[in-house]
Structures are given as C-alpha cells and as structure tokens.
Amino acid sequence: VTIRRVGGVPVLVAGYHVAATSAPDAAALEVVDRMLTAAPGGRLYKALVESKLATQVGSNSVSTLDPTFYQLLAILPKDGDMAKAQDAMLSALEDLKAHPFTQEELDRSKAEIAKYYDLTSTKTDQLAIALSEAMAAGDWRLYFLNRDRGQALTLAQAQAFAEHYLKASNRTLGEYIP
C-alpha cells in the first residue's frame, strides 16, 4: 500500500497477522518485539537507525480477543531512500531462519520486559490501563498469564514464533511518501 500526501517524512510499515492475545504463543510477541525494536540492541534498530536509513523504528499491536495485526515501522529522513530502507527492514524481519536470535538477545529482552512489569505494578493508572487491555482481549488475568509466559519463553519458542509469523506471505507492506 502506498500513500502519497503533502507534508511529513517518509514512513515504512510492515504489518503481520498474529494470534489473539489469549493464544499460547501470544506472549512471544512482546519478547520478539523487544529483540527487534529496542534501542540500541534491537535488530531493526541496528539495521535501520544505526545505518542512518531511518531516524526511528517502532512497533504497534493491539490486545484483542481476535487475531490481531503487529506493525513495525521505520521513520525515514526527509531525503531517505525508501527502497534501501525496505530491503534492510525486510531482511532484518524475515531472514531470521538464516540469522536466528541469540540467548543474549532473549535474556536482554526478558529483563527489559520484567522491569516494565515491575514499574507498571507501582503505578495504579498504568496497571489499570494494562488490565483493561487484557479485559478487551477476553480476561484481565491475561496480563499476568502473558507476563509469566513471556518470562518462561525459551529461545526455540521465540525463534519459532518469529519464523511462523514474520514472513512475506503473512505481510502487508505500507509506504507513506510525502
């Protein structure tokens, strides 16, 4: 999908269909997302921001009762090369079978997520929002269940999740060209 409008900066989005929040492998999404987008160690961050193909990377997914959509985005410089950024992005996301995650990446991701859950539990408003999102996915207890599932995730499970969902046949690619 290509959108051309006046103003802004170029944006590239790769979207993948993923399981509902209540699915057993849904907790892997949070862990894999960190391994891909977290600064400065995330693979997408390294491939795009460190190489100056993008100024920022990020992601978005919504906690839902039904299968959902996981979006990874790159904000490019005003004069950015969309084709080079797209090649680098898709290589980082869809070449995981040839370049599997490492235990170090998994451990770092899980530690960052554990810290997030600890901080969220100390802030009533953030905890209420997190529990509400889990309720929208079917049950408030999913917040705690997916937290525990994520911490118990093995490297093989994270890799299997990424290989299953992050592939060309499951992708919608979007470009915003100012």
Side-chain angles (χ1 to χ4, degrees):
V1 176
T2 300
I3 299 173
R4 298 177 196 283
R5 297 280 187 269
V6 175
V9 294
V11 179
L12 179 62
V13 179
Y16 299 89
H17 298 274
V18 294
T21 306
S22 60
D25 67 350
L29 175 61
E30 186 174 26
V31 176
V32 168
D33 179 61
R34 285 274 181 181
M35 289 192 282
L36 293 171
T37 63
R43 290 188 177 198
L44 202 57
Y45 182 89
K46 287 180 180 180
L48 293 168
V49 177
E50 286 184 3
S51 67
K52 307 281 190 236
L53 291 172
T55 58
Q56 184 178 348
V57 296
S59 64
N60 181 48
S61 66
V62 180
S63 183
T64 61
L65 184 61
D66 297 316
T68 189
F69 203 58
Y70 172 49
Q71 301 170 42
L72 295 121
L73 67 105
I75 299 173
L76 281 56
K78 208 166 196 67
D79 60 346
D81 187 327
M82 186 70 76
K84 281 185 182 178
Q86 179 179 325
D87 288 345
M89 175 185 250
L90 296 180
S91 177
L93 296 175
E94 296 176 5
D95 199 20
L96 292 169
K97 189 173 270 189
H99 300 95
F101 291 121
T102 66
Q103 188 64 45
E104 180 184 338
E105 288 174 305
L106 179 70
D107 293 343
R108 183 176 54 243
S109 177
K110 288 166 66 171
E112 290 171 0
I113 292 167
K115 182 177 180 180
Y116 163 79
Y117 276 99
D118 287 345
L119 291 173
T120 299
S121 68
T122 66
K123 298 178 181 172
T124 309
D125 59 332
Q126 289 183 8
L127 183 58
I129 290 169
L131 292 173
S132 295
E133 287 178 359
M135 286 173 57
D139 192 328
W140 63 270
R141 294 172 290 187
L142 286 170
Y143 173 79
F144 300 103
L145 180 63
N146 283 336
R147 174 199 63 191
D148 296 343
R149 284 177 174 166
Q151 289 304 304
L153 194 74
T154 66
L155 184 58
Q157 290 169 321
Q159 187 69 32
F161 174 89
E163 288 179 17
H164 178 75
Y165 291 107
L166 303 181
K167 56 187 176 185
S169 62
N170 190 39
R171 172 188 9 105
T172 301
L173 189 65
E175 308 175 314
Y176 171 72
I177 303 172

